[in-house]
């Protein structure tokens, strides 16, 4: 993290002279670094003659020590925190290629090319949200992967409910919504042989303290907007680690079928009239639930049909 940002993060005024002295550089060098912080990280810095420089809002940065202190389960994980990366999932995949030993967790203060499913963009401003990729090594064959992304969604939903959002719920396959508004998204990526040994990247994006974002083209919300509180992201990551570890353990021991009922209880669209979009095709039906593998069960023209696969999207039908 830039030392200048460390000095400014308290949100108080700091004079150019004091900052220059602390960093051992000239005032004009400070001015240049401030311009860079604004341009590169999208931070708003107030510059007031006679008083100095002040971040428009104070920020708390991610810290592996803080996360480790509040989370027992993730104590043995290597936690890597980046100021900025293209996408934490992409970085995690590169680290696997380079031989990093799982489990490890990649977090970033911002993503320049945060991604959703099918290459869609995940808006990821600096120091406001959680961009999280946990890498696990799997050697239990396909059963260990069944319904895994739904299990991750359930863990995120529970964590958010604990954080003062009782209305957080799931949308198949793995979005977390409050009403119609998206608060978190999940993207699992896999390398290796799923039937034998593979690595899976559990990518999670949670809107935490974000209060405005012009670029998001659907309804969204954040933990802060819903709970009315500024959230300590280190504590939220620590709690997410705990909840996730406990769900992953249940999944590993008992399989997805043991979690299926709980997932359906958290599904906001049970019984709703929906369209399932698969590329250019659209299937209208009513949501019955999911099966023991996590596939979607729809009633289509009175008949139960099952759908699975990464290319499917659900939309509510008018009037449902
Ligand atoms: P699906 O129903 O297929 O999951 P989706 O439109 O929700 O569809 P995702 O791939 O899950 O697609 O997520 C990407 C979409 O989420 C983007 O196209 C954008 O509309 C929205 N989005 C992007 N950034 C954010 C964010 N920070 N918070 C909430 N929504 C976002």
């Amino acid at each position: 993290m830039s030392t200048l940002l460390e000095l400014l993060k308290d949100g108080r005024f700091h004079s150019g002279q004091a900052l220059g002295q602390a960093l051992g550089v000239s005032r004009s060098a400070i001015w240049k670094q401030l311009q860079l912080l604004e341009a590169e990280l999208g931070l708003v810095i107030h510059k007031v003659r006679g008083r100095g420089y002040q971040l428009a809002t104070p920020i708390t940065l991610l810290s592996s020590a803080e996360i480790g202190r509040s989370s027992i389960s993730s104590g043995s994980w290597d936690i890597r925190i980046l100021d900025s990366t293209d996408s934490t999932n992409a970085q995690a995949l590169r680290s696997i290629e380079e031989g990093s030993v799982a489990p490890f967790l990649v977090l970033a203060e911002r993503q320049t090319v945060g991604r959703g499913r099918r290459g869609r963009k995940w808006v990821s401003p600096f120091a406001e949200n959680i961009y999280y990729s946990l890498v696990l090594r799997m050697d239990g064959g396909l059963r260990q992967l069944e319904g895994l992304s739904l299990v991750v969604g359930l863990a995120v939903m529970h964590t958010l409910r604990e954080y003062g959002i009782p209305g957080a719920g799931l949308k198949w396959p793995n979005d977390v919504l409050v009403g119609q508004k998206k608060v978190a998204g999940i993207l699992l990526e896999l390398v290796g042989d799923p039937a034998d040994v593979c690595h899976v990247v559990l990518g999670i994006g949670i809107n935490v303290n974000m209060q405005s974002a012009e670029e998001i083209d659907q309804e969204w919300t954040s933990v802060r907007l819903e709970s009315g509180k500024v959230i300590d992201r280190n504590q939220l990551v620590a709690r997410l680690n705990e909840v996730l570890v406990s769900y992953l353990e249940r999944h590993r021991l008992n399989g997805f079928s043991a979690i299926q009922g709980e997932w359906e209880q958290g599904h906001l669209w049970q019984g709703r009239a929906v369209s399932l979009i698969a590329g250019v095709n659209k299937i209208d039906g009513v949501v019955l639930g999911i099966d023991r593998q996590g596939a979607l069960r729809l009633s289509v023209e009175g008949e139960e049909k099952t759908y699975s696969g990464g290319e499917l999207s659900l939309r509510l039908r008018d009037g449902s």
Side-chain angles (χ1 to χ4, degrees):
M1 177 52 55
S2 128
T3 326
L4 180 56
L5 191 53
E6 282 289 345
L7 294 171
L8 287 171
K9 71 180 186 188
D10 58 10
R12 301 210 178 125
F13 271 106
H14 297 265
S15 71
Q17 192 182 3
L19 292 171
Q21 262 171 11
L23 299 186
V25 297
S26 67
R27 281 162 67 174
S28 67
I30 292 290
W31 176 260
K32 278 191 199 132
Q33 284 193 39
L34 289 168
Q35 311 272 79
L36 272 180
L37 285 182
E38 285 186 311
E40 288 185 358
L41 304 182
L43 291 169
V44 178
I45 299 170
H46 296 151
K47 307 174 182 86
V48 179
R49 194 179 286 271
R51 296 193 73 189
Y53 309 108
Q54 177 198 42
L55 274 186
T57 29
I59 50 174
T60 308
L61 299 169
L62 292 169
S63 145
S64 52
E66 288 286 318
I67 295 167
R69 243 196 299 283
S70 327
S71 155
I72 305 155
S73 311
S74 55
S76 62
W77 300 349
D78 175 15
I79 302 179
R80 303 167 191 182
I81 298 175
L82 305 162
D83 290 350
S84 178
T85 188
D86 49 355
S87 119
T88 55
N89 265 28
Q91 178 55 45
L93 290 167
R94 285 193 293 270
S95 298
I96 297 167
E97 295 263 300
E98 288 159 8
S100 289
V101 178
F104 63 91
L105 174 61
V106 180
L107 298 168
E109 293 290 5
R110 76 160 186 161
Q111 301 182 111
T112 52
V113 200
R115 45 193 211 220
R117 300 197 303 151
R118 297 192 290 287
R120 279 179 297 219
K121 187 176 175 188
W122 188 258
V123 172
S124 310
F126 184 81
E128 293 188 9
N129 299 326
I130 290 174
Y131 318 115
Y132 175 113
S133 295
L134 175 63
V135 180
L136 302 174
R137 183 178 182 274
M138 300 284 199
D139 55 12
L142 289 173
R143 186 170 170 274
Q144 254 198 293
L145 300 170
E146 253 170 28
L148 187 59
S149 69
L150 280 74
V151 172
V152 176
L154 199 51
V156 173
M157 181 196 86
H158 268 280
T159 309
L160 296 186
R161 285 186 178 179
E162 280 183 19
Y163 263 77
I165 317 184
L170 300 160
K171 175 194 140 191
W172 188 89
N174 50 18
D175 283 343
V176 184
L177 308 180
V178 184
Q180 300 266 37
K181 300 176 185 169
K182 190 142 137 173
V183 65
I186 287 144
L187 180 69
L188 259 62
E189 295 186 84
L190 195 142
V191 274
D193 179 357
D196 186 15
V197 178
C198 66
H199 282 93
V200 58
V201 180
L202 311 181
I204 300 172
I206 304 178
N207 296 334
V208 183
N209 289 319
M210 188 162 75
Q211 289 185 287
S212 65
E214 276 149 27
E215 318 96 294
I216 305 179
D217 56 7
Q218 58 173 294
E219 286 192 86
W220 65 273
T221 188
S222 68
V223 185
R224 178 172 181 180
L225 288 173
E226 294 299 320
S227 67
K229 293 188 198 125
V230 179
I231 304 297
D232 180 328
R233 289 176 306 144
N234 289 311
Q235 273 175 20
L236 181 50
V237 169
R239 187 62 198 142
L240 175 64
N241 288 344
E242 299 282 326
V243 177
L244 190 54
V245 163
S246 115
Y247 270 102
L248 291 172
E249 192 57 9
R250 273 175 62 195
H251 181 248
R252 193 176 67 78
L253 294 175
N254 307 317
F256 184 72
S257 57
I259 299 171
Q260 173 193 1
E262 195 181 329
W263 195 93
E264 284 181 338
Q265 275 176 17
H267 194 205
L268 294 169
W269 290 8
Q270 288 290 111
R272 304 290 296 267
V274 295
S275 296
L276 182 66
I277 318 285
V280 290
N281 299 317
K282 189 170 86 120
I283 300 148
D284 287 344
V286 173
V287 176
L288 298 174
I290 53 171
D291 72 6
R292 294 162 69 86
Q293 281 86 40
L296 181 72
R297 294 186 298 116
L298 281 188
S299 166
V300 179
E301 291 167 358
E303 228 181 285
E304 180 168 331
K305 300 236 163 113
T306 310
Y307 301 90
S308 64
E311 298 301 309
L312 303 173
S313 290
L314 267 191
R315 298 285 176 264
L316 282 181
R317 267 188 286 149
D318 292 344
S320 95

